[in-house]
Amino acid sequence: MTDFPSRQGGALRETSEAGSSSLESIQPEEAVSKFLSYKEPEIRPQTLKEYKRKLDHFIDFCNSQSVENLNQLDGRVIQGFRRYRRLESTDQREPLSTKTMRDDMYLFRDFVKYLEYIESVPSGLSDKIGIPELGWGEGVRDTNISIDRLEMILEHLRQYQYASREHVVWKFHAHTGRRPGGLYAIDLTDLYLDSDEPYVELRHRPEETELKNGYRGEGEIYLSADAAQIFLDYINQNRIDVTTENDREPFLTSRYGRLSKSTMRTYVYRFSRPCIISGQCPHDQDIESCQAAQSDDVASKCPSSRSPYALRHGYITSKRSEGVPDRFISGRCDVSPDVLEKHYDERTESEKRELRKEVFDKSQESSTGGYA
């Protein structure tokens, strides 16, 4: 979330002492509109819509409680909104999950920080917004695919669906660690497969195919000879020749044009079901009657199925465990060093120690003294 500039020195103390009389009056609808306008340059349109949908619940709460001026916001009102969001804001019978509440409260706290910044609520009010903590396994699915399992899936695709769209989707994610949006954005002109050092160029084209981090997410990603050959064979043997309205030739296509990200996601769910690869179910289900096994539309219901993120997560954590420097992973996978450290480090302290030992041992092999 955003770190807003803080009010300094005497201005901060003056605001605290004067109370709400020194605050700028603002209605809930206006506050949300200003916050979204502030965030718009740094987030995607889809994310902006999601923020608006979530903050509309706050506007509804304010209307129900006759809160017309957010100068009135205090700890009791915040606690009332928290309860309202969890228990009363939807038609569902059960309270919102801890994970949903956690995500919503992170956004709400960022919103209140913005109100502090524009001097519409007391400074420090955002500190009163607690963020629910997730329990073990609560709202979180296993985000990895083991290397052994991944190799089995890739071998299955190589043997039975070589150079198919499904094979390309799996190979791309397992080989690059990139997001689905990156694969979706690739045109034929972005691929350099015939060179001695094949690579793909990921480009941000706002008019049709955006990258999550915009132009910052652009870059050239090297490809192994094996990956390049699979991609090339797909183009020559299985690609449907289509051109978009913008006269672009997508890499992955269907009869309807550029292959959708939802279809790519379905491919990952489909082949990450164990029964597809081994013919056996680790969950003791009858495969013939299991809905998740029989229908690709609900393949994600299988407890063992995984999303494309699992492949990205597995790739990044694997490379970190192998000792690949974070700066190289960051550039290849379009992920910041801070996010790498926070979300992609599953090594134990012993594993970290062993890895450091290997790195320093190699360094000392070529040293002739001094700092060796």
Side-chain angles (χ1 to χ4, degrees):
M1 292 295 180
T2 305
D3 291 325
F4 298 103
S6 59
R7 288 170 280 166
Q8 301 294 323
L12 177 59
R13 289 192 297 272
E14 183 179 353
T15 300
S16 299
E17 293 169 0
S20 61
S21 61
S22 64
L23 299 176
E24 295 291 332
S25 175
I26 192 168
Q27 295 180 334
E29 294 88 347
E30 181 186 1
V32 169
S33 178
K34 285 181 176 291
F35 173 71
L36 295 176
S37 295
Y38 185 91
K39 300 289 288 186
E40 186 173 10
E42 64 186 58
I43 61 177
R44 295 183 299 165
Q46 184 177 351
T47 305
L48 196 70
K49 290 179 182 178
E50 182 67 9
Y51 281 9
K52 182 181 185 306
R53 184 187 67 78
K54 288 176 178 289
L55 290 173
D56 278 346
H57 291 296
F58 176 68
I59 293 175
D60 292 341
F61 167 76
C62 290
N63 290 336
S64 71
Q65 300 298 311
S66 299
V67 176
E68 299 178 354
N69 182 354
L70 292 190
N71 293 171
Q72 299 173 241
L73 227 58
D74 58 18
R76 285 178 296 178
V77 176
I78 287 173
Q79 183 61 28
F81 171 63
R82 186 188 182 99
R83 176 180 175 80
Y84 170 85
R85 181 68 186 106
R86 183 170 182 266
L87 301 175
E88 304 172 28
S89 61
T90 67
D91 294 331
Q92 63 184 38
R93 297 181 181 180
E94 298 296 324
L96 291 185
S97 69
T98 305
K99 184 179 186 304
T100 300
M101 283 296 296
R102 180 175 178 268
D103 294 343
D104 279 24
M105 289 301 105
Y106 267 127
L107 174 61
F108 184 57
R109 187 166 67 181
D110 200 40
F111 170 61
V112 173
K113 282 184 179 179
Y114 171 76
L115 296 181
E116 294 176 4
Y117 170 54
I118 63 173
E119 302 184 2
S120 290
V121 299
S123 179
L125 183 63
S126 60
D127 295 337
K128 297 183 179 181
I129 302 173
I131 306 298
E133 293 187 3
L134 296 177
W136 175 255
E138 185 176 13
V140 179
R141 200 173 196 177
D142 185 3
T143 55
N144 251 343
I145 294 181
S146 71
I147 293 178
D148 290 344
R149 188 177 167 203
L150 176 60
E151 289 178 348
M152 289 178 61
I153 295 170
L154 289 175
E155 182 56 33
H156 176 92
L157 289 167
R158 175 178 291 277
Q159 185 173 353
Y160 297 106
Q161 298 203 38
Y162 178 76
S164 63
R165 288 180 303 204
E166 294 89 337
H167 194 191
V168 169
V169 168
W170 272 86
K171 189 65 177 180
F172 176 86
H173 287 304
H175 181 57
T176 68
R178 279 280 181 156
R179 300 179 183 87
L183 178 56
Y184 177 77
I186 297 173
D187 290 347
L188 292 183
T189 54
D190 300 325
L191 292 161
Y192 301 84
L193 304 177
D194 290 325
S195 66
D196 293 335
E197 296 182 352
Y199 67 95
V200 57
E201 183 179 10
L202 296 185
R203 298 177 59 191
H204 175 64
R205 299 177 174 97
E207 73 281 0
E208 189 176 353
T209 52
E210 298 179 318
L211 298 179
K212 180 176 181 180
N213 289 326
Y215 293 108
R216 291 177 299 168
E218 293 187 332
E220 296 179 358
I221 310 299
Y222 83 87
L223 300 172
S224 68
D226 180 60
Q229 190 62 56
I230 292 170
F231 294 176
L232 191 59
D233 288 342
Y234 159 75
I235 293 170
N236 292 333
Q237 300 171 18
N238 296 315
R239 179 183 176 274
I240 300 173
D241 189 17
V242 298
T243 303
T244 68
E245 293 179 355
N246 292 341
D247 292 326
R248 293 172 56 186
E249 295 181 289
F251 172 38
L252 286 179
T253 61
S254 72
R255 289 178 298 165
Y256 308 103
R258 189 181 298 272
L259 190 67
S260 70
K261 283 181 278 189
S262 62
T263 299
M264 296 180 197
R265 187 164 52 248
T266 298
Y267 290 164
V268 178
Y269 281 128
R270 175 191 298 172
F271 288 99
S272 58
R273 292 174 296 182
C275 60
I276 298 299
I277 307 302
S278 67
Q280 299 178 343
C281 176
H283 310 291
D284 297 324
Q285 294 292 312
D286 178 11
I287 296 176
E288 296 300 324
S289 61
C290 174
Q291 187 180 14
Q294 297 302 315
S295 173
D296 288 344
D297 291 337
V298 292
S300 61
K301 300 297 183 182
C302 171
S304 290
S305 68
R306 297 290 182 265
S307 71
Y309 174 74
L311 289 168
R312 174 174 166 82
H313 189 277
Y315 178 88
I316 294 175
T317 55
S318 174
K319 294 307 173 186
R320 296 199 84 197
S321 296
E322 292 171 8
V324 177
D326 282 357
R327 66 182 183 277
F328 295 143
I329 299 174
S330 178
R332 182 172 177 83
C333 301
D334 186 29
V335 56
S336 71
D338 288 344
V339 171
L340 275 176
E341 191 64 30
K342 185 175 181 181
H343 296 291
Y344 293 99
D345 197 346
E346 298 182 351
R347 299 168 295 183
T348 65
E349 289 303 317
S350 295
E351 290 171 335
K352 291 178 183 178
R353 185 191 70 242
E354 287 297 323
L355 182 58
R356 288 194 295 267
K357 179 179 182 298
E358 289 179 16
V359 172
F360 280 103
D361 283 349
K362 290 180 181 179
S363 172
Q364 290 171 354
E365 287 175 3
S366 60
S367 177
T368 57
Y371 284 110

